[in-house]
């Protein structure tokens, strides 16, 4: 019986075999690593091989390598997995995801603004998994609404009241949340890449594991926001208020925090080498182990 290979993927542990890692995708990075042609560093105590990637979706990578299939995933999960497949150079998996991923931009929204207003009036406030792409929902009272898994690409929420709304795992690329009330909203694992949230109120919002790449948060209120492991690469937070925000594990490469309030923010062990911090207030911030 083949000896197991122990992997530590971003803090999550997996056990597999050399055959699994090399057989189905022989031209991949994983196959090259474990082909025997290279010396792979192992932890001297645990014998594990560490790979600095998000371990959440690696189980799908392993199942693909074992069986050549994936479970039915939401579109945002396919996109996250696609990034991992591209990193590991799993060409077969990349092709499989692209063939099976829905193309919501080519579909008509399932509801209109008028339908949404009727739902609000009748208190039917759940839009889980619904395609609401490109709708104009500005200035509506959508507080406490459940949008989990919804497709919200290029949807306009400017000036809307969305307090305590749920946006977990939504696909909301390019959406507009300018001046919206997003206090205590849940954006866990959401994809908001390229969205505009200027002057939005996000106090105590949960944005853990969210993709916020190239988002604009100019003068947004993010006091006490939860941004653990969020990807803020290239985001613009000029003048934003992040007092007391938790940014543990956040990716801040190319992030503009010029003039931002980071007092009492948690920035422990965060890599700030490519972060613009000119004029930022850092009084009382936890910068222990931060790379600057």
């Amino acid at each position: 019986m083949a000896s197991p290979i122990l992997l530590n993927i971003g803090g999550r542990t997996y056990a597999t075999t050399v055959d699994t890692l090399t057989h189905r995708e022989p031209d991949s990075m994983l196959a090259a690593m474990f082909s025997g042609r290279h010396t792979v560093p192992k932890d001297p105590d645990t014998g594990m091989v560490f790979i600095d990637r998000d371990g959440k979706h690696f189980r799908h990578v392993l199942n693909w390598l074992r069986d050549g299939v994936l479970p039915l995933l939401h579109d945002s999960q396919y996109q996250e997995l696609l990034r991992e497949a591209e990193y590991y150079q799993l060409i077969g998996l990349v092709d499989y995801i692209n063939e099976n991923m829905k193309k919501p931009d080519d579909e008509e929204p399932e509801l209109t603004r008028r339908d949404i207003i009727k739902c609000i009036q009748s208190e039917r406030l759940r839009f889980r998994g619904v395609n609401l792409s490109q709708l104009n929902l500005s200035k509506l009272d959508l507080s406490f609404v459940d949008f989990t898994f919804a497709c919200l690409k290029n949807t306009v929420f400017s000036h809307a009241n969305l307090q305590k709304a749920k946006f977990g795992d939504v696909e909301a690329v390019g959406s507009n949340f300018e001046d919206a009330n997003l206090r205590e909203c849940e954006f866990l694992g959401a994809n908001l890449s390229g969205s505009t949230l200027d002057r939005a109120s996000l106090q105590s919002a949960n944005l853990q594991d969210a993709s916020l790449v190239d988002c604009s948060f100019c003068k947004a209120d993010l006091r006490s926001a939860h941004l653990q492991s969020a990807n803020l690469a290239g985001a613009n937070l000029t003048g934003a208020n992040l007092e007391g925000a938790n940014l543990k594990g956040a990716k801040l490469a190319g992030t503009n925090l010029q003039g931002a309030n980071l007092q009492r923010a948690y920035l422990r062990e965060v890599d700030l080498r490519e972060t613009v911090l000119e004029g930022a207030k850092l009084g009382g911030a936890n910068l222990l182990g931060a790379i600057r």
Side-chain angles (χ1 to χ4, degrees):
M1 186 175 183
S3 299
I5 298 293
L6 301 179
L7 301 173
N8 178 348
I9 312 296
R12 299 197 183 194
T13 59
Y14 295 90
T16 184
T17 65
V18 170
D19 186 63
T20 294
L21 295 170
T22 60
H23 179 69
R24 186 173 299 280
E25 299 262 14
D27 297 320
S28 70
M29 185 190 83
L30 290 171
M33 284 180 64
F34 296 97
S35 64
R37 301 192 303 270
H38 307 284
T39 300
V40 181
K42 296 182 179 180
D43 187 288
D45 297 321
T46 64
M48 290 186 178
V49 176
F50 177 73
I51 298 177
D52 188 16
R53 296 295 294 179
D54 186 349
K56 180 171 62 172
H57 294 302
F58 195 74
R59 62 189 181 95
H60 295 313
V61 171
L62 281 182
N63 286 333
W64 166 259
L65 292 173
R66 289 167 180 148
D67 306 317
V69 295
L70 293 176
L72 183 62
L73 300 174
H74 186 266
D75 195 36
S76 62
Q77 294 173 304
Y78 274 128
Q79 292 194 348
E80 292 173 4
L81 182 56
L82 181 60
R83 288 194 288 270
E84 299 306 303
E86 290 172 344
Y87 174 81
Y88 294 116
Q89 299 171 23
L90 299 164
I91 303 304
L93 180 54
V94 169
D95 291 341
Y96 182 93
I97 293 171
N98 285 327
E99 288 174 7
N100 286 273
M101 193 162 51
K102 295 178 182 178
K103 302 293 188 293
D105 286 343
D106 300 330
E107 301 173 5
E108 290 294 324
E110 296 176 49
L111 297 171
T112 65
R113 179 183 172 91
R114 185 173 182 178
D115 293 331
I116 300 293
I117 293 172
K118 287 181 179 179
C119 290
I120 295 170
Q121 293 170 340
S122 63
E123 299 185 358
R124 291 165 50 205
L125 300 178
R126 294 183 61 182
F127 300 108
R128 293 175 64 93
V130 177
N131 181 7
L132 303 175
S133 295
Q134 304 183 55
L135 286 184
N136 181 358
L137 303 179
S138 60
K139 300 181 181 180
L140 295 180
D141 184 356
L142 297 164
S143 52
F144 300 93
V145 173
D146 187 353
F147 292 101
T148 304
F149 298 118
C151 185
L152 305 171
K153 289 186 178 181
N154 300 308
T155 301
V156 178
F157 290 102
S158 58
H159 298 274
N161 179 13
L162 292 152
Q163 184 169 353
K164 293 188 177 181
K166 295 181 179 180
F167 291 92
D169 290 300
V170 298
E171 191 63 37
V173 173
S175 289
N176 185 340
F177 291 92
E178 286 183 331
D179 300 287
N181 178 7
L182 296 160
R183 290 171 61 109
E184 301 179 72
C185 280
E186 179 188 310
F187 286 94
L188 189 65
N191 184 4
L192 294 167
S193 299
S195 293
T196 303
L197 299 100
D198 295 342
R199 300 173 303 280
S201 175
L202 288 141
Q203 190 172 350
S204 300
N206 186 352
L207 294 129
Q208 293 185 60
D209 297 310
S211 177
L212 307 172
V213 176
D214 295 328
C215 283
S216 180
F217 290 91
C218 292
K219 297 184 179 180
D221 185 354
L222 287 148
R223 285 175 293 169
S224 301
H226 303 277
L227 290 152
Q228 298 96 308
S229 301
N231 188 350
L232 284 153
N236 185 2
L237 290 100
T238 302
N241 190 349
L242 291 121
E243 183 175 354
N246 189 341
L247 290 136
K248 180 181 179 181
K251 297 177 179 65
L252 299 175
T255 305
N256 186 351
L257 287 162
Q258 187 173 8
N261 180 5
L262 289 158
Q263 295 179 97
R264 293 182 291 281
Y266 191 98
L267 291 158
R268 188 168 180 171
E269 300 180 0
V270 173
D271 189 342
L272 298 170
R273 288 175 295 182
E274 299 178 40
T275 307
V276 179
L277 289 166
E278 183 181 351
K281 299 176 182 177
L282 291 161
N286 187 339
L287 291 160
L288 185 64
I291 306 172
R292 302 178 67 179

